[in-house]
Amino acid sequence: MQARSFLTALAAALLSLVLVTTGLLWGLERRSPLHLVDQPLQLPRAARFVPRDAALSVHWLADSARLPAYAQAVAPPRQRRAARDGMRQWRDGAFALAGLDFDAELASWVGPDLSLTLLDASDTPGWVLALTSTDSDGARRFLQRFWQTRSLAGTDLQISSYRGMGLISGRGALVGRDPQPLATALIDDDLVLLASGRGVLERALDVSQLQEQHQLGDAQLGRDIAELDHGMALITASPDALRRWFELPSALSGLEGMVAALQADNADLLVEGRLRWQERIDAAPWTVQQDLVGGSGGRASLMAQLQDPSRLLDPDELHPLAQWLGPVLKRHLAQQPAALALLELDEGPLLLQQQPEGWLLATSHSQPELSAVDDQLKAQGLAQSDLSGDGESIQVWTRLKRQRGRSAGVEASLAVARSADSDRDWWGETLPSLVQRQDSRALEPRVQQWRNLSNHQSNPAQSLMLASKPARTVLADWQPWTLLQAMAGQTLQPRIQGLSLSLEADRQDEGRSVLPLHARLELG
């Protein structure tokens, strides 16, 4: 009996030790900076002050004070200090755009949730910044010091009441700029609204009184967030902002906007988003077929997998993907008419690669039909012939040029070469590009991009994988990237190691069409 009591007591003690140890480890794990980027997505209280039609809203859910620790934790050992300092500089620069000094004015009280709203997509949009406090008095102390400092610097303050709330307005000093109009309001003692002027702040307060106008009362947005699940930030963008900042064509009529979750995977940034249309897309959904990436090869700086490219390039196609991506693809291949002719004939799937040796295409076996391709290329002035060697038959199309002078005659220059495998056909701009398909290791970076992207989706319709150089070119033209670099106080272009994007097949949701999108930005 005593032995049994001893064993029972020992088991209870061990169980208690295990539970305590597990609790401590769980607590330490939750405090790890790595968990900053894995937050359950939900709209913060500040969303009540965000209009549904705002050009851009960013709800940041990660603790800003601990972001440098996260950057340091995921960086390679030799780059940890630089990563930490770079993240600190980016964070401080973001708050400096609103005239705030993070260390001096915010670090001691600001909570993990903050929201930034741009009301329109103009060059100087009105904005509202919402900051939460970790204690009941931090926000009040901040406002007192904030306006006291600016009053001592000569700013004239105006104190008034609007909708029962106290408003203070004046001018704040922005680094490197003339003082700009600012207005603040304190909500429930723990939420500060800082806006670019009294009128902007009053609009936010007006919206908060009307459930049908603010984000917190948007049931559709709530369903989107539940589907996106986790992230460190929630982003919404209006149709006007998408068209202006990302150069989307005006032909995308009916575009309702975008909602996306921003996540981090070590040093990479992941975007899981949804593009919505106000009504059902008046076109057949995209048909998703098998992928051709797995058996590809070559030193590609660009790789794109396209479903039904002939439909994508059809000028009469009503589907938004064709209206959006079709013109982009045509511009990319404008100087490569032979490759463009192949895409216009192919019903997909098709794999396009851009290599130093020239473009390379992979298509399903005997698709498009050889006779149809021959007719198209003959119309471009190309002549077809056959080559054979090492048991492989290759069709080539050449352009004949008459030579003048001492070496008068006719010269044939290669335009397209074709070789068939057991399950697919390969089309290359040059013979070396065709040979490169056999070196799968050379394309491993693009294939790995595809694998990383496909892990976060189930139904890719169109995909694009870019190496560092073309990725930097793409991002250089995007206004949001320019803003990020301004906040960092330095160029971020050298850090870009790659960019991959994909769109799923569209689906229907309560009478509206939805296009899920996925992106990964690789940063070194």
Side-chain angles (χ1 to χ4, degrees):
M1 181 67 69
Q2 291 180 351
R4 184 179 301 173
S5 300
F6 172 74
L7 292 175
T8 302
L10 180 61
L14 290 175
L15 179 59
S16 299
L17 180 61
V18 169
L19 291 175
V20 171
T21 304
T22 302
L24 288 173
L25 290 176
W26 181 86
L28 290 173
E29 180 70 8
R30 295 304 299 174
R31 290 175 60 84
S32 168
L34 299 179
H35 279 285
L36 287 174
V37 297
D38 189 26
Q39 305 291 330
L41 282 181
Q42 58 183 357
L43 280 172
R45 188 159 45 106
R48 179 183 170 188
F49 302 91
V50 181
R52 297 185 190 182
D53 61 354
L56 177 74
S57 71
V58 180
H59 300 294
W60 190 264
L61 307 177
D63 190 345
S64 302
R66 300 174 66 199
L67 283 176
Y70 172 82
Q72 181 176 350
V74 301
R78 294 183 178 180
Q79 301 176 16
R80 286 177 179 170
R81 177 175 294 182
R84 179 198 62 198
D85 294 343
M87 178 58 75
R88 181 182 290 116
Q89 186 174 2
W90 177 85
R91 179 200 63 194
D92 295 351
F95 286 104
L97 291 178
L100 298 173
D101 185 316
F102 182 84
D103 288 330
E105 297 182 297
L106 303 176
S108 63
W109 66 273
V110 72
D113 292 347
L114 60 90
S115 300
L116 173 64
T117 305
L118 301 184
L119 296 181
D120 57 72
S122 65
D123 292 332
T124 56
W127 55 265
V128 179
L129 179 64
L131 304 169
T132 57
S133 176
T134 56
D135 60 72
S136 58
D137 200 40
R140 191 180 301 276
R141 292 195 310 268
F142 160 73
L143 285 178
Q144 182 178 359
R145 291 194 301 266
F146 179 85
W147 287 117
Q148 184 178 45
T149 301
R150 286 150 180 81
S151 177
L152 292 174
T155 297
D156 292 329
L157 305 185
Q158 296 181 358
I159 302 175
S160 59
S161 177
Y162 187 78
R163 291 190 175 273
M165 301 177 189
L167 271 63
I168 306 176
S169 57
R171 287 184 176 270
L174 284 177
V175 178
R177 299 184 182 181
D178 295 331
Q180 300 294 309
L182 289 177
T184 62
L186 180 62
I187 312 296
D188 298 333
D189 293 331
D190 65 347
L191 178 64
V192 172
L193 298 182
L194 178 67
S196 59
R198 180 183 174 87
V200 174
L201 184 55
E202 289 180 352
R203 179 181 172 187
L205 295 175
D206 289 340
V207 165
S208 71
Q209 305 299 310
L210 303 171
Q211 186 171 356
E212 65 276 9
Q213 292 189 13
H214 61 66
Q215 286 187 348
L216 205 58
D218 190 341
Q220 180 59 62
L221 181 58
R223 288 192 293 270
D224 286 335
I225 293 172
E227 184 176 331
L228 294 172
D229 194 28
H230 278 68
M232 64 180 178
L234 180 68
I235 302 170
T236 68
S238 71
D240 288 343
L242 292 173
R243 294 188 180 102
R244 180 182 177 94
W245 295 336
F246 295 97
E247 299 183 354
L248 297 187
S250 57
L252 290 183
S253 59
L255 180 63
E256 190 175 56
M258 181 193 74
V259 57
L262 183 64
Q263 180 70 291
D265 183 9
N266 292 329
D268 295 351
L269 291 179
L270 280 63
V271 177
E272 296 290 320
R274 303 290 182 267
L275 285 170
R276 284 192 167 272
W277 268 257
Q278 296 171 356
E279 55 190 16
R280 295 173 66 94
I281 295 174
D282 188 18
W286 227 261
T287 301
V288 178
Q289 306 165 17
Q290 81 273 19
D291 71 85
L292 299 175
V293 175
S296 61
R299 297 179 295 173
S301 61
L302 174 153
M303 185 169 75
Q305 177 161 284
L306 309 174
Q307 305 292 349
D308 203 348
S310 60
R311 180 184 174 193
L312 193 66
L313 293 169
D314 185 352
D316 298 323
E317 173 59 50
L318 297 177
H319 197 281
L321 283 184
Q323 299 178 33
W324 177 14
L325 301 180
V328 175
L329 192 57
K330 284 185 177 180
R331 287 196 299 270
H332 177 73
L333 297 175
Q335 304 302 318
Q336 301 164 337
L340 184 59
L342 287 164
L343 266 68
E344 290 173 336
L345 291 170
D346 189 31
E347 297 179 359
L350 177 142
L351 187 69
L352 167 65
Q353 301 173 46
Q354 197 70 50
Q355 306 173 103
E357 296 82 9
W359 55 260
L360 178 67
L361 300 178
T363 66
S364 299
H365 190 52
S366 298
Q367 183 181 323
E369 293 184 358
L370 188 59
S371 58
V373 174
D374 189 39
D375 290 342
Q376 284 279 10
L377 297 182
K378 281 182 178 178
Q380 295 183 18
L382 303 179
Q384 191 263 336
S385 58
D386 294 328
L387 299 176
S388 61
D390 297 329
E392 182 178 15
S393 177
I394 299 177
Q395 290 79 41
V396 297
W397 284 263
T398 55
R399 177 173 283 105
L400 300 179
K401 296 182 179 179
R402 184 178 299 278
Q403 301 288 347
R404 301 184 181 277
R406 295 183 178 180
S407 56
V410 177
E411 179 185 29
S413 60
L414 180 65
V416 183
R418 172 186 177 271
S419 177
D421 289 343
S422 58
D423 60 343
R424 69 195 66 190
D425 291 348
W426 293 92
W427 311 77
E429 184 176 10
T430 64
L431 290 177
S433 68
L434 207 58
V435 172
Q436 281 294 327
R437 79 185 194 276
Q438 300 171 359
D439 184 6
S440 60
R441 292 175 301 174
L443 192 60
E444 182 61 27
R446 306 290 80 74
V447 174
Q448 187 59 48
Q449 283 181 303
W450 162 257
R451 290 171 183 158
N452 290 338
L453 200 61
S454 60
N455 285 339
H456 296 276
Q457 62 183 28
S458 59
N459 222 10
Q462 319 292 341
S463 304
L464 175 66
M465 284 67 71
L466 301 174
S468 57
K469 186 175 180 179
R472 292 167 186 172
T473 300
V474 168
L475 287 174
D477 294 332
W478 286 357
Q479 288 190 15
W481 182 251
T482 302
L483 177 60
L484 284 175
Q485 294 190 99
M487 290 188 294
Q490 59 182 314
T491 177
L492 300 176
Q493 292 292 93
R495 294 191 58 195
I496 300 174
Q497 302 302 310
L499 174 66
S500 47
L501 304 160
S502 74
L503 288 164
E504 290 188 26
D506 54 288
R507 61 173 189 256
Q508 306 304 318
D509 181 12
E510 297 189 352
R512 299 177 177 182
S513 293
V514 181
L515 285 179
L517 62 91
H518 312 269
R520 176 183 285 262
L521 176 62
E522 301 168 31
L523 298 172

